[in-house]
Amino acid sequence: MSSVALSRTAILEQFHTYGCSREQFRIGGEYERAIVRPNGSPVHYAEPFGIRWFLTQFAKRWGWKPYLEGQNIIALQKDGASITLEPGGQFELSGAPHSDLSSLVEEFSLNRDCVNQLASEAGFRVITAGLTPITSIESIDWMPKGRYVIMREYLPEQGDLAHYMMKGTTSVQCNYDFIDEADCAKKVALCAGVAPLTTAMFANSPLYLNRPTQFQSFRGHIWTRTDPDRTGFPPGLREDFTYERWVDYLLNVPMMFVQREDTWIHAKGRSFYEFMTKGIDGHFPTWDDWELHMTSTFPEVRIKRTIEVRGADCVSHELAVAFCALFTGLLYDDTALSKGLELSQELRYYGTRDERFATACQLGLQGRFINASGSTSILELASRLVQIGADGLERYQPHNRDLLSPLEAQMARGCSPAMDLINAWQSNPTPEHVIDFLSY
């Protein structure tokens, strides 16, 4: 598309090129984790054996290609995958696309082994929780990336917990293909509709400063106080999804930045539509600017060339794999997709989407959705969703059906991972015990 002039019409035409056949469906997992000291205090970028050292060692030992911003290594690439840094040094694997979940598991597992090997040598720990549980947000360093300089100024003007999101949260995400606009609309409606159930099932951020937050997923709550323009369930993620509505949302959402070579320019909240028509500081957008802009919105479901499902706290390796397996079964089997949509429609009778999401963040699987006729437990609804996904995976990739077993075991206990962490904290609230419990 680089030879085509950038316009609303051209952007819509580009979206219509994104679909693929069922035979080409792929799964791409994304996994953020935090590297901390054994007492939970932060590991800084430039210190000996710090975050920069981790990136450098991946390049030296395992052949990852480094990406520099100025003199600082900030990312790595290899075989269609990348390793990047979130603003507080959270270590993210963005995996390559896989046709089989088994390959995704191998990729996650190899990355886990490498990160743990380095952490062991450095005397650090890699933890899986939706929010850093011990240290303060203020004590965490900012990573040396230009876009984060602008984000850390802009976002707190929109939400009082924006820095918590940037420096303290970690999540699991997964990307899925679609055939065409109609197929994309169904999958978006399902993923957005069941997002409160996803949040409850994978809630794993009940602690901050080594004290209960009163939320099972404080990470989820933090997102509601980050920037309402670019988070949650914006226009375009509703039941009436079309490419046109989604593109119009993206064209009108306030921009944060523009990049020109190594320079980051503050967009000061101007829209991409204004960027196209009036420019910003004499600059007019390219297709690269559009691709960058799409990465600066953070809704619960994000649509680019694929559908990115974003609603889970960082959880254990086994549950992270189960998250990817669950939505593979839900989205890549037609019967499961239809049944999942029916369940998501049921949820609409229990208050607003924001109300359901707030309940899931606070109470996890122990919560209840309420309407005029009574209430239904989140656990019951989530269990139905897991069964639909399991049946779909049994039909789509039966040899990977067992990948859902850890999630089914969690559901059988009737609690979110957050409750397991709270129970461990109550038995021994020392920082070292909490970090040991969460260790990757």
Side-chain angles (χ1 to χ4, degrees), residues 367-410:
R368 300 186 71 85
F369 293 149
I370 301 172
N371 63 18
S373 302
S375 66
T376 299
S377 74
I378 296 178
L379 176 63
E380 177 186 340
L381 294 165
S383 296
R384 288 171 56 193
L385 183 68
V386 171
Q387 187 60 58
I388 292 170
D391 291 343
L393 191 60
E394 180 71 44
R395 289 184 290 267
Y396 183 69
Q397 287 187 1
H399 56 289
N400 287 315
R401 169 64 179 79
D402 287 347
L403 296 178
L404 280 174
S405 297
L407 178 58
E408 291 172 317
Q410 188 77 49

Side-chain angles (χ1 to χ4, degrees), residues 23 91 109 113 134 152 157 165 220 246 278 381 423:
E23 293 73 25
F91 211 77
S109 299
D113 292 343
I134 306 297
R152 76 191 197 198
E157 298 176 354
M165 178 279 290
W246 179 247
K278 298 180 180 179
L381 294 165
N423 290 336

Side-chain angles (χ1 to χ4, degrees), residues 67-70 72 74-75 144-148 150-151 255-268 270 272 275 280-296:
Y67 178 82
L68 302 180
E69 187 169 314
N72 297 308
I74 59 168
K145 296 176 67 171
R147 66 183 287 167
Y148 295 157
I150 293 175
M151 289 174 67
M255 293 177 63
M256 289 189 285
F257 42 66
V258 175
Q259 184 182 17
R260 285 296 177 268
E261 296 182 350
D262 292 334
T263 301
W264 292 83
I265 302 166
H266 202 311
K268 299 179 181 178
R270 285 168 284 193
F272 200 90
F275 189 17
I280 293 176
D281 294 350
H283 299 284
F284 284 83
T286 66
W287 281 100
D288 287 341
D289 292 314
W290 173 249
E291 295 289 336
L292 177 65
H293 175 58
M294 287 195 291
T295 71
S296 71

Side-chain angles (χ1 to χ4, degrees), residues 428-439:
N428 181 352
T430 62
E432 290 78 8
H433 176 71
V434 171
I435 296 305
D436 184 62
F437 180 82
L438 291 171
S439 287

Side-chain angles (χ1 to χ4, degrees), residues 15-33:
F15 266 88
H16 281 283
T17 70
Y18 286 163
C20 64
S21 68
R22 294 178 185 275
E23 293 73 25
Q24 295 173 307
F25 279 177
R26 300 292 185 266
I27 310 132
E30 302 183 25
Y31 201 1
E32 302 168 351
R33 295 134 299 172

Side-chain angles (χ1 to χ4, degrees), residues 128-430:
T128 56
L131 176 69
T132 184
I134 306 297
T135 196
S136 69
I137 296 302
E138 293 77 15
S139 69
I140 301 173
D141 278 353
W142 292 98
M143 294 299 103
K145 296 176 67 171
R147 66 183 287 167
Y148 295 157
V149 174
I150 293 175
M151 289 174 67
R152 76 191 197 198
E153 296 173 359
Y154 176 83
L155 287 176
E157 298 176 354
Q158 318 306 316
D160 62 328
L161 294 183
H163 282 184
Y164 285 66
M165 178 279 290
M166 293 182 70
K167 292 204 289 182
T169 61
T170 52
S171 66
V172 183
Q173 303 162 18
C174 208
N175 302 308
Y176 298 92
D177 288 313
F178 49 90
I179 298 171
D180 53 22
E181 185 175 25
D183 188 47
C184 183
K186 291 179 182 178
K187 290 173 177 175
V188 168
L190 186 151
C191 296
V194 303
L197 302 183
T198 306
T199 296
M201 283 189 286
F202 297 95
N204 193 34
S205 46
L207 297 177
Y208 176 61
L209 296 177
N210 205 26
R211 294 194 295 269
T213 63
Q214 309 307 317
F215 286 86
Q216 303 261 321
S217 178
F218 195 46
R219 182 201 66 86
H221 176 69
I222 286 168
W223 275 109
T224 69
R225 291 165 57 180
T226 292
D227 182 354
D229 289 327
R230 68 186 71 247
T231 63
F233 305 95
L237 278 192
R238 314 278 164 78
E239 288 74 10
D240 56 354
F241 173 88
T242 63
Y243 290 157
E244 186 173 18
R245 291 187 179 96
W246 179 247
V247 167
D248 283 340
Y249 159 68
L250 292 174
L251 287 174
N252 287 289
V253 71
M255 293 177 63
M256 289 189 285
F257 42 66
V258 175
Q259 184 182 17
R260 285 296 177 268
E261 296 182 350
D262 292 334
T263 301
W264 292 83
I265 302 166
H266 202 311
K268 299 179 181 178
R270 285 168 284 193
S271 70
F272 200 90
Y273 179 78
E274 185 176 356
F275 189 17
M276 286 199 300
T277 56
K278 298 180 180 179
I280 293 176
D281 294 350
H283 299 284
F284 284 83
T286 66
W287 281 100
D288 287 341
D289 292 314
W290 173 249
E291 295 289 336
L292 177 65
H293 175 58
M294 287 195 291
T295 71
S296 71
T297 63
F298 316 111
E300 290 298 301
V301 183
R302 185 164 65 184
I303 302 90
K304 295 187 290 184
R305 287 175 174 80
T306 58
I307 299 168
E308 183 178 338
V309 187
R310 300 169 44 84
D313 284 3
C314 177
V315 286
S316 69
H317 172 81
E318 293 77 15
L319 282 178
V321 168
F323 170 80
C324 299
L326 172 65
F327 278 92
T328 299
L330 289 169
L331 299 180
Y332 285 174
D333 175 76
D334 285 345
T335 300
L337 179 58
S338 295
K339 290 185 177 180
L341 282 169
E342 291 173 4
L343 178 58
S344 70
Q345 290 296 312
E346 285 185 41
L347 296 180
R348 297 175 64 189
Y349 294 102
Y350 296 98
T352 67
R353 195 191 303 269
D354 289 342
E355 289 170 343
R356 295 191 295 273
F357 188 75
T359 299
C361 288
Q362 184 174 8
L363 300 174
L365 290 174
Q366 296 180 315
R368 300 186 71 85
F369 293 149
I370 301 172
N371 63 18
S373 302
S375 66
T376 299
S377 74
I378 296 178
L379 176 63
E380 177 186 340
L381 294 165
S383 296
R384 288 171 56 193
L385 183 68
V386 171
Q387 187 60 58
I388 292 170
D391 291 343
L393 191 60
E394 180 71 44
R395 289 184 290 267
Y396 183 69
Q397 287 187 1
H399 56 289
N400 287 315
R401 169 64 179 79
D402 287 347
L403 296 178
L404 280 174
S405 297
L407 178 58
E408 291 172 317
Q410 188 77 49
M411 304 296 291
R413 292 204 302 276
C415 66
S416 307
M419 287 306 302
D420 295 330
L421 176 54
I422 285 292
N423 290 336
W425 176 83
Q426 289 174 337
S427 70
N428 181 352
T430 62

